[in-house]
Amino acid sequence: MNLNLHPALQATDPETADLIAREAQRQRNVLRLIPSENYVSDAVLAATGSCLTNKYSEGYAGKRYYQGQQYIDAVERIAIDRARKLFGADHANVQPYSGSPANLAVYFGLLNQGDTILGMSLPHGGHLTHGWGVTISGKHYNVARYGVRQNDHRIDLDEVRRLAHEHKPRLIVCGASAYPRIIDFAAFAEIAREVGAYLLADMAHISGLVAGGAHPSPVPFADVVSTTTHKTLRGPRGGMLLCKAEHAAAIDRAVFPGLQGGPHNHTTAAIAVALHEAATPEFQTYAHRIVENARALADRLLSHGFTLVSGGTDNHLILVDLNNKGVSGKIAAQALEGAGIVCNANSVPFDPRKPFDPSGIRLGTPALTTRGMGPAEMVRLADWISEVVAAPADTAVQTRIAGEILDLCGSFPAPGV
Ligand SMILES: *Cc1c(COP(=O)(O)O)cnc(C)c1O
């Protein structure tokens, strides 16, 4: 097996090396449909695994607490410049450790404890960090929640406006983890303006689509935009904040020293590389192809009688409501994994089932698109999904399909693994 692992890793810790090698093999040999996942390039991987992990650099470029920052400062400045240019933002902070701390930094920087946040409800597609009760965002702030309409599963902007006027939030959060449609950032900005609230747009899932011109950008409309860097943007695991000039100082202070210590410089370097890649014409093609593939997958699933939340998709993900198939999301996800199709069980709006075994599965096309798969492969995939879900206990079907998928994967090599 050529696993591209560094010989030192193999020699020093064969046990961990073996597990990494097996994970690489898994990532090569299955169809990865979790919409928040991807394959980074060899270049991004190389920066992530670089000696920048050895350096401490609390502070910001030119204002550090330790010496030896000549190259780290340059790396962070490059990452910031690329982020600002790619997204057209006044200011960028590339230090958040990931998407969740990025959001927390926004709350910490712009709000006082106990202020009101209006965010999207988790079971309707929002993220935990948008004010869900078990999180710090739900415990330290007062939260009002909006959702989608029951009839068409679109964000109910009338409800958002009504709740905004009723609760007078200090901040409104838009952006989602399981919403298959375009988000109308201009409409959110207008509602925020009406009630004097800040608008935070969390584009964690879609920042790659935004960068590639396949989804409208929130940057012109939101006070602050947060994102992960490892989802459709296809960088290392990390977070990033973009904001208007007037919020730059508050946001920077909130990230450091407010919330974090030393930035992860190897991650910053890998973000710089990913942003460089995201500025290329190839990335634009990739972003549009993600959406094209999601449509092709959705259309074929519809033809197999699947119910899709909102009836389809405008972006990189599809939420399948399995209630009419008589299978739970968990059972379906487990059966699909047996066939080499890896997705996650997910609540659907107004789900009659419990969150741990909800009614739906969530499917996304970013990772398959990175491998070079197109609409023809999406049709085969939908056919396989249909076959597995029709007989989730049939392990012979799963084994046969897993073999067919292994063949297919051989024709679409994944970067980095
Ligand atoms: C993934 C996600 C996050 C959190 O990112 P982590 O890197 O997992 O902390 C935040 N917001 C949204 C909308 C997300 O989908």
Side-chain angles (χ1 to χ4, degrees):
M1 271 192 296
N2 172 22
L3 298 161
N4 293 325
L5 287 184
H6 196 285
L9 176 54
Q10 198 72 53
T12 303
D13 185 352
E15 198 179 1
T16 303
D18 181 60
L19 291 170
I20 295 173
R22 284 168 192 268
E23 171 62 11
Q25 190 175 41
R26 187 193 70 83
Q27 291 187 16
R28 266 200 309 271
N29 293 343
V30 299
L31 297 180
R32 298 173 58 232
L33 283 156
I34 295 172
S36 48
E37 294 184 355
N38 216 323
Y39 297 94
V40 299
S41 68
D42 288 318
V44 167
L45 212 49
T48 304
S50 71
C51 68
L52 272 65
T53 198
N54 296 337
K55 184 70 193 122
Y56 242 104
S57 26
E58 286 170 326
Y60 291 101
K63 293 167 285 185
R64 306 283 190 188
Y65 288 80
Y66 306 144
Q67 296 309 114
Q69 309 291 354
Q70 44 278 55
Y71 306 112
I72 298 299
D73 277 3
V75 165
E76 189 168 324
R77 284 195 173 110
I78 286 176
I80 288 168
D81 287 347
R82 288 178 182 170
R84 291 180 53 215
K85 189 148 169 261
L86 184 66
F87 292 105
D90 293 349
H91 180 74
N93 186 309
V94 295
Q95 292 194 5
Y97 297 145
S98 211
S100 302
N103 284 344
L104 187 55
V106 177
Y107 304 145
F108 186 65
L110 299 183
L111 309 180
N112 293 309
Q113 222 174 314
D115 280 352
T116 299
I117 296 173
L118 174 59
M120 191 170 185
S121 161
L122 179 71
H124 284 221
H127 191 260
L128 281 162
T129 57
H130 298 179
W132 199 242
V134 299
T135 73
I136 192 165
S137 66
K139 288 189 188 293
H140 287 199
Y141 302 94
N142 179 43
V143 179
R145 298 187 186 95
Y146 62 89
V148 298
R149 277 188 297 261
Q150 191 145 20
N151 60 346
D152 64 359
H153 303 140
R154 308 287 176 129
I155 290 171
D156 188 345
L157 288 165
D158 295 333
E159 184 193 29
V160 176
R161 174 169 277 110
R162 185 177 57 72
L163 291 169
H165 284 269
E166 182 186 333
H167 295 277
K168 299 271 182 292
R170 189 92 186 269
L171 182 143
I172 298 176
V173 193
C174 60
S177 302
Y179 184 66
R181 297 296 180 175
I182 301 280
I183 294 173
D184 187 346
F185 297 118
F188 272 100
E190 173 151 5
I191 294 168
R193 204 163 36 237
E194 285 169 18
V195 299
Y198 296 118
L199 180 65
L200 165 61
D202 179 349
M203 63 171 182
H205 261 256
I206 57 169
S207 53
L209 303 183
V210 170
H215 189 290
S217 173
V219 173
F221 303 106
D223 292 284
V224 185
V225 175
S226 65
T227 185
T228 55
T229 49
H230 48 273
K231 297 180 183 175
T232 50
L233 192 57
R234 218 163 59 180
R237 301 201 83 78
M240 199 160 75
L241 290 168
L242 308 169
C243 68
K244 304 281 185 217
E246 65 193 281
H247 303 305
I251 289 296
D252 283 353
R253 266 198 314 272
V255 174
F256 175 86
L259 187 62
Q260 299 186 169
H264 294 180
N265 298 310
H266 55 303
T267 300
T268 307
I271 289 173
V273 174
L275 292 168
H276 181 67
E277 292 175 350
T280 60
E282 293 74 28
F283 195 90
Q284 300 239 331
T285 306
Y286 148 81
H288 285 93
R289 205 111 201 276
I290 287 174
V291 176
E292 191 188 331
N293 281 340
R295 290 224 173 101
L297 182 58
D299 286 347
R300 189 71 172 187
L301 288 169
L302 287 169
S303 79
H304 282 298
F306 282 97
T307 305
L308 307 185
V309 169
S310 84
T313 180
D314 296 328
N315 61 20
H316 64 302
L317 73 81
I318 296 163
L319 261 182
V320 185
D321 181 338
L322 294 166
N323 276 303
N324 68 326
K325 297 283 184 180
V327 183
S328 77
K330 196 83 177 174
I331 297 288
Q334 284 165 352
L336 287 165
E337 184 167 18
I341 297 166
V342 185
C343 66
N344 65 280
N346 212 99
S347 292
V348 298
F350 311 99
D351 203 321
R353 301 180 59 91
K354 296 262 182 291
F356 190 69
D357 187 11
S359 297
I361 51 173
R362 191 179 64 147
L363 309 172
T365 53
L368 300 187
T369 305
T370 294
R371 295 185 79 150
M373 293 185 190
E377 286 73 38
M378 299 306 116
V379 168
R380 294 189 71 189
L381 172 58
D383 294 352
W384 283 321
I385 291 171
S386 179
E387 208 181 333
V388 172
V389 168
D394 191 337
T395 51
V397 164
Q398 291 164 26
T399 305
R400 193 200 80 236
I401 292 174
E404 291 169 6
I405 285 175
L406 186 62
D407 281 348
L408 178 71
C409 286
S411 310
F412 293 92
V417 295

